[in-house]
Amino acid sequence: MNIKTRVALTLGALLLGGCSVMGAHHGAAGHGGNRATASHGLVALKSPHSPAETMNRLEVEVKKRNLAVVSRIDHAAAAQRIGQALRPTELLVFGNPQAGTPLMLCAQLTGIDLPMKALVWADEAGQTWLGYNDPQWLIHRHGARDCPPAEQVGKALAAIAAATVAK
């Protein structure tokens, strides 16, 4: 085996090892499974409502807290326009500088993940989910370890999500 092959195999092993560590560290559920836990920073909660009702409720909760709705993107409708079928999948982009700026002061590159986003989708079984990125995970992703504003924003997002999926 030549040196280039050895280096390539070693780098590949290191990268794969790093990916498995990240998966183990941040949990392994959420992307349509049964648990409302974080997976690579995604917090996912089951909703007892339809996808459309869940998204409408989310938008009401966001506006109720004086957050700006930047965009509402219906991925399923976009897929339909190109002749593809996609289960209900809709994204709400929202926020305000009072919440986002302190996060960027902790880790400026967090700006790539702002404004905040929440995704509503229906899984293969028809279960509706509401998911969003955990702000503390975002801060960690961008190199900061301690950021009290991330905890505050996380609590606010959790409250919005809980109100959205309440019966």
Side-chain angles (χ1 to χ4, degrees):
M1 185 180 315
N2 69 29
I3 189 72
K4 286 182 183 179
T5 304
R6 283 187 197 150
V7 169
L9 289 173
T10 302
L11 287 174
L14 287 171
L15 287 172
L16 288 173
C19 290
S20 68
V21 168
M22 286 295 288
H25 178 70
H26 295 292
H31 296 298
N34 293 328
R35 295 187 279 168
T37 59
S39 176
H40 287 66
L42 180 70
V43 178
L45 298 134
K46 285 184 179 181
S47 174
H49 312 291
S50 70
E53 185 179 352
T54 300
M55 181 54 78
N56 289 337
R57 290 170 60 99
L58 174 62
E59 188 169 358
V60 166
E61 289 299 323
V62 163
K63 288 178 177 177
K64 208 186 282 187
R65 289 164 173 82
N66 295 318
L67 300 170
V69 171
V70 177
S71 184
R72 186 168 167 171
I73 302 164
D74 188 338
H75 291 300
Q80 195 172 37
R81 286 194 300 272
I82 62 162
Q84 299 289 316
L86 180 66
R87 288 186 304 274
T89 308
E90 197 168 357
L91 182 74
L92 190 70
V93 182
F94 61 94
N96 71 30
Q98 290 171 323
T101 302
L103 297 179
M104 287 185 280
L105 289 172
C106 289
Q108 188 172 10
L109 295 180
T110 304
I112 192 73
D113 294 306
L114 297 175
M116 286 301 202
K117 297 159 208 61
L119 185 71
V120 173
W121 73 97
D123 67 17
E124 309 83 30
Q127 172 63 55
T128 301
W129 292 87
L130 168 64
Y132 61 91
N133 287 318
D134 178 359
Q136 290 183 326
W137 185 87
L138 292 176
I139 291 299
H140 176 79
R141 174 184 180 214
H142 296 293
R145 298 289 177 241
D146 184 35
C147 183
E151 185 176 340
Q152 295 168 340
V153 173
K155 286 179 182 176
L157 287 172
I160 290 168
T164 300
V165 302
K167 290 184 180 185

